[in-house]
Amino acid sequence: MIRIAIVDDHAVVRAGLRQFFSDQVDLRVTGEAANGREALDLLRAGEIDVMLMDLSMPGQGGVDALAAIKARAPDLPVLILSGLPEEHYATALLKQGASGYLTKDCDPEDILRAIRTVVRGRKYITPSVAERLADSLAGDADKPPHELLSEREFQVFLRLARGETIGHMADSMSLSVKTVSTYRTRVMEKMKLSTNSDLTYYALKNGLIQ
């Protein structure tokens, strides 16, 4: 029996997935959460073989939660199920430890296939993501700027783009203000941008925030 935790801030999505999984003899939902912090609580409770997680959630979103989860349970497969386009997030999150990336308009059978794949210790990669990963091996020249960021820089970039202050980031990420400011400087340099407003515009234009 594969034990699944569903992390999504929409109760109707969790209910729909729970009902869908109940028809599968080898799947069982053992936990639900509405944000990243609750996902960490599920992790501490145990009884999870795979976590199915959204990206856009209030409080601690999926990008931050993925980093925290992989730090505590590096072997736990985390499948991202998001409404955001895979071309903007998939390759970055796979490199940061996600076991797969699916969009919410995918075929439901793809979700089942992905779950059964990642619990065997393998990555679930769609053909389009595989193509993007292959392209990334060719070098950085054609990569969009946000894909050049490190895991922590990407987290800081998204938080800045959403209007979060450096002080609040420092508290929530358990970092010093100086460290967060250094990450911000690196992000600006790598992305060749000047202001937080530029970051927000870039993120909106590229579908990284809603």
Side-chain angles (χ1 to χ4, degrees):
M1 183 69 70
I2 299 171
R3 301 168 299 177
I4 305 168
I6 302 171
V7 185
D8 194 293
D9 59 321
H10 293 100
V12 67
V13 173
R14 299 197 305 272
L17 287 168
R18 187 171 62 248
Q19 179 60 43
F20 177 56
F21 294 146
S22 71
D23 294 332
Q24 311 299 316
V25 296
D26 61 333
L27 305 181
R28 179 163 60 96
V29 175
T30 55
E32 295 182 29
N35 55 52
R37 293 191 186 283
E38 292 180 8
L40 291 175
D41 290 338
L42 290 179
L43 190 64
R44 284 188 281 269
E47 297 193 357
I48 303 172
D49 296 314
V50 60
M51 188 171 284
L52 189 63
M53 184 166 67
D54 190 14
L55 281 182
S56 300
M57 297 179 289
Q60 188 177 46
V63 174
D64 292 338
L66 175 64
I69 290 164
K70 299 309 289 186
R72 290 165 175 78
D75 295 329
L76 177 70
V78 179
L79 266 175
I80 303 299
L81 181 63
S82 173
L84 297 169
E86 66 178 14
E87 62 264 25
H88 298 315
Y89 273 101
T91 55
L93 292 181
L94 284 166
K95 291 174 182 177
Q96 291 172 24
S99 294
Y101 191 103
L102 295 163
T103 56
K104 288 183 177 178
D105 59 358
C106 73
D107 188 312
E109 291 298 317
D110 288 340
I111 300 176
L112 300 179
R113 204 161 22 247
I115 288 171
R116 291 165 180 148
T117 296
V118 301
V119 294
R120 296 198 300 269
R122 299 168 56 193
K123 297 277 190 182
Y124 181 83
I125 300 174
T126 64
S128 58
V129 171
E131 185 176 341
R132 292 185 67 83
L133 285 170
D135 289 342
S136 73
L137 296 176
D140 294 338
D142 297 325
K143 282 186 180 181
H146 69 272
E147 290 191 10
L148 302 177
L149 302 177
S150 71
E151 176 182 337
R152 188 66 94 178
E153 288 165 354
F154 189 58
Q155 287 177 271
V156 169
F157 156 63
L158 288 179
R159 286 172 175 262
L160 288 169
R162 295 190 186 106
E164 196 168 332
T165 66
I166 286 178
H168 187 272
M169 269 190 279
D171 288 340
S172 62
M173 299 172 76
S174 300
L175 299 171
S176 69
V177 169
K178 182 179 179 181
T179 298
V180 175
S181 296
T182 299
Y183 279 122
R184 179 187 179 277
T185 300
R186 288 184 198 164
V187 168
M188 293 297 189
E189 289 175 350
K190 286 186 178 183
M191 300 189 69
K192 296 180 171 59
L193 298 174
S194 303
T195 68
N196 288 7
S197 296
D198 293 336
L199 290 177
T200 300
Y201 178 75
Y202 177 97
L204 287 168
K205 181 181 176 183
N206 288 277
L208 296 168
I209 60 174
Q210 295 174 321

